[in-house]
PDB file of all heavy atoms in Angstrom:
ATOM      1  N   THR A 189     110.836 109.218  86.922  1.00  0.00           N
ATOM      2  CA  THR A 189     111.974 109.261  87.844  1.00  0.00           C
ATOM      3  C   THR A 189     113.242 109.783  87.185  1.00  0.00           C
ATOM      4  O   THR A 189     114.345 109.498  87.661  1.00  0.00           O
ATOM      5  CB  THR A 189     112.243 107.849  88.381  1.00  0.00           C
ATOM      6  OG1 THR A 189     112.298 106.960  87.248  1.00  0.00           O
ATOM      7  CG2 THR A 189     111.142 107.382  89.314  1.00  0.00           C
ATOM      8  N   ALA A 190     113.096 110.526  86.089  1.00  0.00           N
ATOM      9  CA  ALA A 190     114.261 111.016  85.333  1.00  0.00           C
ATOM     10  C   ALA A 190     115.298 111.697  86.231  1.00  0.00           C
ATOM     11  O   ALA A 190     116.493 111.628  85.959  1.00  0.00           O
ATOM     12  CB  ALA A 190     113.795 111.984  84.256  1.00  0.00           C
ATOM     13  N   ASP A 191     114.833 112.317  87.304  1.00  0.00           N
ATOM     14  CA  ASP A 191     115.765 113.065  88.159  1.00  0.00           C
ATOM     15  C   ASP A 191     116.332 112.238  89.319  1.00  0.00           C
ATOM     16  O   ASP A 191     117.039 112.791  90.159  1.00  0.00           O
ATOM     17  CB  ASP A 191     115.080 114.333  88.696  1.00  0.00           C
ATOM     18  CG  ASP A 191     113.819 114.003  89.501  1.00  0.00           C
ATOM     19  OD1 ASP A 191     113.309 112.856  89.395  1.00  0.00           O
ATOM     20  OD2 ASP A 191     113.343 114.885  90.234  1.00  0.00           O
ATOM     21  N   CYS A 192     116.045 110.945  89.393  1.00  0.00           N
ATOM     22  CA  CYS A 192     116.526 110.115  90.512  1.00  0.00           C
ATOM     23  C   CYS A 192     117.394 108.970  89.995  1.00  0.00           C
ATOM     24  O   CYS A 192     117.105 108.419  88.937  1.00  0.00           O
ATOM     25  CB  CYS A 192     115.392 109.419  91.246  1.00  0.00           C
ATOM     26  SG  CYS A 192     114.001 110.430  91.608  1.00  0.00           S
ATOM     27  N   PRO A 193     118.358 108.555  90.797  1.00  0.00           N
ATOM     28  CA  PRO A 193     119.043 107.311  90.454  1.00  0.00           C
ATOM     29  C   PRO A 193     118.070 106.146  90.645  1.00  0.00           C
ATOM     30  O   PRO A 193     117.050 106.294  91.314  1.00  0.00           O
ATOM     31  CB  PRO A 193     120.184 107.250  91.474  1.00  0.00           C
ATOM     32  CG  PRO A 193     119.742 108.103  92.610  1.00  0.00           C
ATOM     33  CD  PRO A 193     118.835 109.158  92.055  1.00  0.00           C
ATOM     34  N   ASP A 194     118.383 104.985  90.069  1.00  0.00           N
ATOM     35  CA  ASP A 194     117.515 103.813  90.249  1.00  0.00           C
ATOM     36  C   ASP A 194     117.470 103.419  91.727  1.00  0.00           C
ATOM     37  O   ASP A 194     118.445 103.646  92.449  1.00  0.00           O
ATOM     38  CB  ASP A 194     118.056 102.619  89.451  1.00  0.00           C
ATOM     39  CG  ASP A 194     117.831 102.793  87.951  1.00  0.00           C
ATOM     40  OD1 ASP A 194     116.964 103.600  87.560  1.00  0.00           O
ATOM     41  OD2 ASP A 194     118.542 102.104  87.183  1.00  0.00           O
ATOM     42  N   PRO A 195     116.378 102.809  92.185  1.00  0.00           N
ATOM     43  CA  PRO A 195     116.336 102.381  93.589  1.00  0.00           C
ATOM     44  C   PRO A 195     117.421 101.337  93.872  1.00  0.00           C
ATOM     45  O   PRO A 195     117.651 100.439  93.070  1.00  0.00           O
ATOM     46  CB  PRO A 195     114.954 101.731  93.733  1.00  0.00           C
ATOM     47  CG  PRO A 195     114.153 102.210  92.580  1.00  0.00           C
ATOM     48  CD  PRO A 195     115.121 102.506  91.484  1.00  0.00           C
ATOM     49  N   ASP A 196     118.083 101.490  94.999  1.00  0.00           N
ATOM     50  CA  ASP A 196     119.044 100.471  95.441  1.00  0.00           C
ATOM     51  C   ASP A 196     118.304  99.364  96.159  1.00  0.00           C
ATOM     52  O   ASP A 196     118.718  98.220  96.167  1.00  0.00           O
ATOM     53  CB  ASP A 196     120.050 101.111  96.409  1.00  0.00           C
ATOM     54  CG  ASP A 196     120.770 102.255  95.746  1.00  0.00           C
ATOM     55  OD1 ASP A 196     121.592 101.989  94.865  1.00  0.00           O
ATOM     56  OD2 ASP A 196     120.470 103.422  96.086  1.00  0.00           O
ATOM     57  N   LEU A 197     117.205  99.739  96.793  1.00  0.00           N
ATOM     58  CA  LEU A 197     116.469  98.818  97.650  1.00  0.00           C
ATOM     59  C   LEU A 197     114.975  99.003  97.426  1.00  0.00           C
ATOM     60  O   LEU A 197     114.475 100.134  97.445  1.00  0.00           O
ATOM     61  CB  LEU A 197     116.825  99.123  99.111  1.00  0.00           C
ATOM     62  CG  LEU A 197     116.060  98.398 100.220  1.00  0.00           C
ATOM     63  CD1 LEU A 197     116.295  96.887 100.156  1.00  0.00           C
ATOM     64  CD2 LEU A 197     116.479  98.938 101.593  1.00  0.00           C
ATOM     65  N   LEU A 198     114.281  97.890  97.195  1.00  0.00           N
ATOM     66  CA  LEU A 198     112.820  97.911  97.097  1.00  0.00           C
ATOM     67  C   LEU A 198     112.257  97.061  98.231  1.00  0.00           C
ATOM     68  O   LEU A 198     112.591  95.884  98.371  1.00  0.00           O
ATOM     69  CB  LEU A 198     112.349  97.355  95.747  1.00  0.00           C
ATOM     70  CG  LEU A 198     110.841  97.089  95.616  1.00  0.00           C
ATOM     71  CD1 LEU A 198     110.038  98.385  95.658  1.00  0.00           C
ATOM     72  CD2 LEU A 198     110.525  96.335  94.322  1.00  0.00           C
ATOM     73  N   ILE A 199     111.423  97.679  99.033  1.00  0.00           N
ATOM     74  CA  ILE A 199     110.812  97.003 100.183  1.00  0.00           C
ATOM     75  C   ILE A 199     109.339  96.743  99.868  1.00  0.00           C
ATOM     76  O   ILE A 199     108.661  97.626  99.331  1.00  0.00           O
ATOM     77  CB  ILE A 199     110.907  97.896 101.446  1.00  0.00           C
ATOM     78  CG1 ILE A 199     112.370  98.139 101.837  1.00  0.00           C
ATOM     79  CG2 ILE A 199     110.115  97.290 102.613  1.00  0.00           C
ATOM     80  CD1 ILE A 199     112.556  99.187 102.937  1.00  0.00           C
ATOM     81  N   ARG A 200     108.854  95.544 100.186  1.00  0.00           N
ATOM     82  CA  ARG A 200     107.402  95.320 100.136  1.00  0.00           C
ATOM     83  C   ARG A 200     106.967  94.649 101.430  1.00  0.00           C
ATOM     84  O   ARG A 200     107.536  93.637 101.830  1.00  0.00           O
ATOM     85  CB  ARG A 200     106.986  94.469  98.935  1.00  0.00           C
ATOM     86  CG  ARG A 200     105.456  94.324  98.887  1.00  0.00           C
ATOM     87  CD  ARG A 200     104.941  93.719  97.621  1.00  0.00           C
ATOM     88  NE  ARG A 200     103.474  93.789  97.593  1.00  0.00           N
ATOM     89  CZ  ARG A 200     102.743  93.744  96.497  1.00  0.00           C
ATOM     90  NH1 ARG A 200     103.325  93.639  95.328  1.00  0.00           N
ATOM     91  NH2 ARG A 200     101.432  93.807  96.566  1.00  0.00           N
ATOM     92  N   THR A 201     105.949  95.200 102.041  1.00  0.00           N
ATOM     93  CA  THR A 201     105.456  94.662 103.307  1.00  0.00           C
ATOM     94  C   THR A 201     104.306  93.690 103.064  1.00  0.00           C
ATOM     95  O   THR A 201     103.839  93.536 101.944  1.00  0.00           O
ATOM     96  CB  THR A 201     104.972  95.802 104.236  1.00  0.00           C
ATOM     97  OG1 THR A 201     103.941  96.526 103.573  1.00  0.00           O
ATOM     98  CG2 THR A 201     106.115  96.749 104.590  1.00  0.00           C
ATOM     99  N   SER A 202     103.887  93.040 104.109  1.00  0.00           N
ATOM    100  CA  SER A 202     102.689  92.188 104.201  1.00  0.00           C
ATOM    101  C   SER A 202     102.843  90.808 103.571  1.00  0.00           C
ATOM    102  O   SER A 202     101.845  90.129 103.336  1.00  0.00           O
ATOM    103  CB  SER A 202     101.442  92.885 103.632  1.00  0.00           C
ATOM    104  OG  SER A 202     101.328  92.709 102.236  1.00  0.00           O
ATOM    105  N   GLY A 203     104.075  90.413 103.297  1.00  0.00           N
ATOM    106  CA  GLY A 203     104.308  89.036 102.868  1.00  0.00           C
ATOM    107  C   GLY A 203     103.989  88.730 101.417  1.00  0.00           C
ATOM    108  O   GLY A 203     104.127  87.585 100.987  1.00  0.00           O
ATOM    109  N   GLU A 204     103.558  89.722 100.651  1.00  0.00           N
ATOM    110  CA  GLU A 204     103.286  89.477  99.220  1.00  0.00           C
ATOM    111  C   GLU A 204     104.604  89.481  98.467  1.00  0.00           C
ATOM    112  O   GLU A 204     105.390  90.419  98.603  1.00  0.00           O
ATOM    113  CB  GLU A 204     102.374  90.569  98.646  1.00  0.00           C
ATOM    114  CG  GLU A 204     101.070  90.777  99.377  1.00  0.00           C
ATOM    115  CD  GLU A 204     100.104  89.604  99.242  1.00  0.00           C
ATOM    116  OE1 GLU A 204     100.387  88.661  98.483  1.00  0.00           O
ATOM    117  OE2 GLU A 204      99.073  89.626  99.923  1.00  0.00           O
ATOM    118  N   LEU A 205     104.832  88.448  97.647  1.00  0.00           N
ATOM    119  CA  LEU A 205     106.094  88.343  96.918  1.00  0.00           C
ATOM    120  C   LEU A 205     105.870  88.716  95.451  1.00  0.00           C
ATOM    121  O   LEU A 205     105.997  87.890  94.559  1.00  0.00           O
ATOM    122  CB  LEU A 205     106.670  86.930  97.060  1.00  0.00           C
ATOM    123  CG  LEU A 205     106.804  86.402  98.499  1.00  0.00           C
ATOM    124  CD1 LEU A 205     107.386  84.999  98.509  1.00  0.00           C
ATOM    125  CD2 LEU A 205     107.674  87.330  99.357  1.00  0.00           C
ATOM    126  N   ARG A 206     105.451  89.953  95.242  1.00  0.00           N
ATOM    127  CA  ARG A 206     105.166  90.434  93.885  1.00  0.00           C
ATOM    128  C   ARG A 206     105.712  91.840  93.718  1.00  0.00           C
ATOM    129  O   ARG A 206     105.870  92.576  94.685  1.00  0.00           O
ATOM    130  CB  ARG A 206     103.650  90.511  93.657  1.00  0.00           C
ATOM    131  CG  ARG A 206     102.940  89.222  93.472  1.00  0.00           C
ATOM    132  CD  ARG A 206     101.495  89.488  93.036  1.00  0.00           C
ATOM    133  NE  ARG A 206     100.708  90.123  94.076  1.00  0.00           N
ATOM    134  CZ  ARG A 206     100.116  89.470  95.084  1.00  0.00           C
ATOM    135  NH1 ARG A 206     100.257  88.169  95.183  1.00  0.00           N
ATOM    136  NH2 ARG A 206      99.420  90.119  95.981  1.00  0.00           N
ATOM    137  N   VAL A 207     105.915  92.227  92.460  1.00  0.00           N
ATOM    138  CA  VAL A 207     106.359  93.593  92.168  1.00  0.00           C
ATOM    139  C   VAL A 207     105.150  94.479  91.840  1.00  0.00           C
ATOM    140  O   VAL A 207     105.177  95.694  92.072  1.00  0.00           O
ATOM    141  CB  VAL A 207     107.393  93.581  91.008  1.00  0.00           C
ATOM    142  CG1 VAL A 207     107.778  94.992  90.605  1.00  0.00           C
ATOM    143  CG2 VAL A 207     108.643  92.797  91.430  1.00  0.00           C
TER     144      VAL A 207
END
Side-chain angles (χ1 to χ4, degrees):
T189 50
D191 59 344
C192 315
D194 287 340
D196 302 289
L197 173 63
L198 169 67
I199 297 171
R200 183 170 188 158
T201 59
S202 86
E204 305 292 354
L205 308 180
R206 286 189 293 278
V207 175

